[in-house]
Amino acid sequence: MMAPFFKYGLFGDQTSLVVAFFIGIGFGFFLERAGLASARKLMAQFYLTDLAVFKVMFTSIITAMLGLTYLSWLGWLDLSLVYLVPTYLMPQVVGGLVLGAGFVTGGYCPGTSVAATATGRVDGLVSILGITFGMFVFAEAFPLVKGFYLSGAGEAMTIPKAFGLPYGLVVFAVVLMALGGFYGAGILEKKIAARSGE
Amino acid sequence: MTTTTGDRRPQAYTNPYLAGIGLGLVLLSSFVLVGRGLGASGAFNSVIAWAVNAVAPAHARSNEFIAGYLGDGSASPLKSWLVFEVIGVFAGAMLSGLLAGRTKVMTEKGPRVSVRMRLAMAFAGGILMAFGAALARGCTSGQALTGGALLNLGSWVFMMMVFAGAYAVAYFVRWQWR
């Protein structure tokens, strides 16, 4: 039996929606467990008082990345069937900057605003309303931004493919980078705690 | 850090590395089961497509961005993978919050800002994020987290830019939290 199961026809569209709901439950559960349904906890990342956002995010990335890599090496999963969002470099550079600015302005990102609303945060709900309104405005303004939106190659592109590097080497480098980051985050948190404790 | 009011003490948050492993395994099971990762902002696009199509179907069809979420029109745009997943996110976070005694109707803010001002900022931030996510074809979940694990080039560039944009603006909006 090969993964991804859905792509190999193990279940159909209807079932995939049920699967989506349960995967969402897991996603929301761990976001809340980690404290990422709280704007103050999320924003602490950007004032360097608590780096949980970085730690959670990079631990998840390396966990899923290593899982995928090993399953693919064992021949149990066809990595080429896992959907890659196409790369449009400039729109993604600008989109990232704008989303980052919106993140610290509003206190949540789209996913965490949903988790925040679920735990009673009124600002989370208002953030959802803002995203919905913004998405409507973007859609209506689409003819004006279409040129920029479509600028770039628009192909599925991975870092190993783009730089001609072996996949395993990039995986290894990302793990090392994350471990270095975790070590640095620990030192930074201690330093800042010591300074604010004075 | 956590302030406790009322009679029930909220539980402390889970260790970030443990929660991260849990989240990573959820992401991995999404890859294995369906061949795609997590997401959030795409669900908002589907809701907008549904709403505009309900009010002005011809107008919705003529807009390329919206039409992309309508498909061939045989199924409701709300019957999308991300809409169901995001409903799950709501349910999962609610479950976790209730189990830990962390659910409380409140507005998260620092002591020096009014609730009204804080909510205005949350709304403004939401608008910015919608534009960012639409341009980038995903948000922190669909791009940074999912694409990060897939070594997607555009996702890694996006992720660096999210941190850059957030750190660049953080100083100017710090009054919300202090």
Side-chain angles (χ1 to χ4, degrees):
Chain A
M1 197 161 62
M2 274 286 276
F5 299 149
F6 176 63
K7 305 261 168 123
Y8 278 93
L10 208 75
F11 52 86
D13 285 334
Q14 300 284 340
T15 312
S16 83
L17 297 180
V18 179
V19 173
F21 177 67
F22 283 100
I23 287 172
I25 288 182
F27 185 19
F29 185 87
F30 284 110
L31 279 180
E32 204 289 326
R33 286 283 119 171
L36 306 191
S38 156
R40 277 169 300 186
K41 180 95 171 168
L42 289 164
M43 289 304 106
Q45 171 71 40
F46 302 105
Y47 302 103
L48 302 177
T49 48
D50 177 344
L51 304 182
V53 169
F54 170 80
K55 292 177 191 169
V56 173
M57 197 163 157
F58 275 84
T59 310
S60 330
I61 288 176
I62 56 174
T63 303
M65 177 187 69
L66 287 174
L68 277 179
T69 308
Y70 285 116
L71 289 175
S72 160
W73 281 346
L74 289 166
W76 294 351
L77 176 135
D78 186 346
L79 202 50
S80 69
L81 291 180
V82 176
Y83 176 68
L84 276 173
V85 176
T87 292
Y88 290 86
L89 227 39
M90 275 325 283
Q92 282 159 348
V93 165
V94 175
L97 289 171
V98 173
L99 191 133
F103 192 2
V104 289
T105 302
Y108 298 101
C109 63
T112 51
S113 67
V114 174
T117 307
T119 52
R121 269 55 177 180
V122 180
D123 46 338
L125 178 63
V126 173
S127 175
I128 287 183
L129 297 177
I131 299 166
T132 311
F133 177 70
M135 211 56 103
F136 172 70
V137 175
F138 183 89
E140 289 302 315
F142 189 67
L144 300 172
V145 288
K146 189 188 163 193
F148 180 64
Y149 179 82
L150 291 174
S151 60
E155 343 167 53
M157 181 55 67
T158 62
I159 295 172
K161 199 170 147 199
F163 296 97
L165 296 167
Y167 202 88
L169 182 69
V170 179
V171 167
F172 185 65
V174 169
V175 172
L176 280 188
M177 214 177 67
L179 293 178
F182 297 152
Y183 181 71
I187 294 178
L188 193 63
E189 280 177 339
K190 271 199 199 99
K191 266 194 177 161
I192 288 180
R195 199 202 292 167
S196 60
E198 272 166 18
Chain B
M1 166 98 205
T2 38
T3 49
T4 50
T5 45
D7 48 343
R8 197 161 165 215
R9 262 185 162 278
Q11 272 174 32
Y13 294 125
T14 305
N15 173 293
Y17 297 116
L18 282 179
I21 290 173
L23 190 51
L25 292 175
V26 171
L27 176 57
L28 180 62
S29 42
S30 185
F31 289 137
V32 169
L33 292 171
V34 248
R36 60 179 295 168
L38 305 169
S41 64
F44 290 87
N45 301 0
S46 293
V47 169
I48 289 303
W50 166 77
V52 174
N53 190 47
V55 175
H59 175 68
R61 281 279 157 212
S62 71
N63 182 309
E64 271 179 87
F65 188 76
I66 292 176
Y69 288 89
L70 295 176
D72 59 6
S74 60
S76 163
L78 294 182
K79 267 185 84 178
S80 89
W81 202 86
L82 280 180
V83 169
F84 278 73
E85 186 237 33
V86 166
I87 294 170
V89 170
F90 189 90
M94 181 179 248
L95 178 72
S96 171
L98 288 173
L99 286 175
R102 286 191 286 256
T103 299
K104 194 180 159 200
V105 177
M106 63 176 288
T107 297
E108 296 232 358
K109 64 178 198 66
R112 288 179 215 166
V113 63
S114 69
V115 170
R116 186 179 291 189
M117 191 60 199
R118 169 68 197 114
L119 294 182
M121 291 297 277
F123 192 79
I127 295 175
L128 281 174
M129 284 191 295
F131 271 77
L135 275 179
R137 294 150 173 90
C139 60
T140 348
S141 327
Q143 279 284 27
L145 192 60
T146 301
L150 292 169
L151 302 178
N152 187 335
L153 177 68
S155 305
W156 276 84
V157 170
F158 170 81
M159 186 180 354
M160 301 299 161
M161 290 301 125
V162 169
F163 278 99
Y167 278 108
V169 175
Y171 178 81
F172 303 101
V173 289
R174 71 192 188 289
W175 47 268
Q176 289 192 87
W177 312 106
R178 289 192 168 178

